[in-house]
Amino acid sequence: MTSHRSRQRLVKKLKSEGISNRLILDVISNTPRHLFVENVLSARAYDNTALPIGSGQTISQPLVVAMMTEMLIRKEGFPRKVLEIGTGCGYQTAILAQLADQVYTIERIRALAQPAMNRLYRLKYRNIQFHHGDGRLGWKEHGPYDGIIVTAGAAQVPDELVTQLATDGRLVMPVGPSGQQSLRLFIRHQEGLQSYSGCNVEFVPLLEGSE
Ligand code: SAH
């Protein structure tokens, strides 16, 4: 169930749902999602579904990971520096690490941040820096970022994240009140922020502070 065949089935499903970026499909096909969930769930790792990862959180559905990654990445090239808010189990982080030069990722729950860091190190991703804390504040020291991805939902984008976005940088986040969230893409132009709406989604909430 963790075989080449089940991964190919997932990629086929993503294509049929409209994901067309070949490189993103290749990266998803090469990333061992079964190593990001508990053993008892590994048989379901290549289904197009969200799964629990402990501490009341979930690994996002592969289609949503693919859509957010497509929104984040410009057609003509890949972002050099990406900031991710909500490391969770580190699956989206692993996808980004294969597409960007450097990934900075922040998780507010220590019980998730530590295993994710160990897992990504074991899998030999060496271009990721980890931070345990409140991602709503961003990570100013390493900014500005070409891309920012938030994998938890809120009524609006935290101001501090917009501040840390480079000119022409792209920010992707689920936005809206609980039950009515949609994926949003924001592009920071010299003249201001341009916003685009994607499909409806349901994410865990972006919370204050850390634990
Ligand atoms: N991309 C993750 C999705 C995890 S769910 C994955 O593929 O596993 C969203 C994550 O965002 C949770 O782990 C949650 O703890 C984290 N989160 C919520 N609010 C946060 C905040 N303010 N700062 C950092 N992480 C946050």
Side-chain angles (χ1 to χ4, degrees):
M1 290 309 271
T2 56
S3 69
H4 182 69
R5 242 190 40 223
S6 40
R7 293 186 196 194
Q8 285 318 109
R9 189 163 38 87
L10 173 61
V11 166
K12 206 167 149 198
K13 169 78 182 158
L14 298 180
K15 276 192 201 159
S16 77
E17 295 283 347
I19 303 300
S20 60
N21 186 310
R22 192 62 250 173
L23 197 51
I24 293 176
L25 291 168
D26 284 349
V27 165
I28 289 180
S29 153
N30 293 331
T31 306
R33 193 170 186 258
H34 64 282
L35 301 181
F36 289 80
V37 294
E38 281 180 44
N39 283 344
V40 289
L41 295 172
S42 62
R44 294 171 60 199
Y46 298 97
D47 291 351
N48 183 27
T49 155
L51 294 168
I53 56 171
S55 304
Q57 308 302 317
T58 52
I59 178 172
S60 306
Q61 185 191 358
L63 177 60
V64 173
V65 171
M67 285 193 300
M68 290 181 86
T69 311
E70 268 199 343
M71 288 167 94
L72 188 74
I73 279 169
R74 285 189 203 88
K75 292 219 164 45
E76 62 280 11
F78 294 102
R80 213 167 59 75
K81 255 200 279 185
V82 173
L83 174 67
E84 178 193 40
I85 312 303
T87 317
C89 68
Y91 177 71
Q92 171 85 66
T93 325
I95 301 290
L96 295 171
Q98 296 168 76
L99 296 166
D101 290 347
Q102 189 68 41
V103 179
Y104 299 87
T105 185
I106 307 177
E107 171 56 55
R108 64 178 293 281
I109 301 178
R110 193 184 292 279
L112 293 174
Q114 191 63 47
M117 186 169 127
N118 296 342
R119 179 179 295 122
L120 290 163
Y121 192 80
R122 263 199 318 276
L123 290 170
K124 301 200 164 41
Y125 298 106
R126 293 290 183 267
N127 57 341
I128 305 169
Q129 285 196 46
F130 299 85
H131 177 62
H132 169 236
D134 185 348
R136 294 174 320 132
L137 307 173
W139 197 346
K140 204 169 175 182
E141 192 187 334
H142 298 291
Y145 300 93
D146 309 308
I148 299 181
I149 182 168
V150 185
T151 66
Q156 56 195 47
V157 179
D159 290 342
E160 196 51 47
L161 296 183
V162 176
T163 312
Q164 294 177 27
L165 198 59
T167 305
D168 293 331
R170 297 160 85 95
L171 184 151
V172 180
M173 176 176 167
V175 180
S178 167
Q180 294 171 48
Q181 282 170 6
S182 61
L183 284 183
R184 299 286 290 275
L185 165 67
F186 300 86
I187 304 182
R188 184 175 183 170
H189 297 294
Q190 225 128 37
E191 316 77 57
L193 210 59
Q194 198 175 3
S195 150
Y196 303 86
S197 246
C199 66
N200 292 343
V201 283
E202 205 182 324
F203 270 79
V204 295
L206 185 71
L207 298 174
E208 276 183 47
S210 59
E211 58 186 78

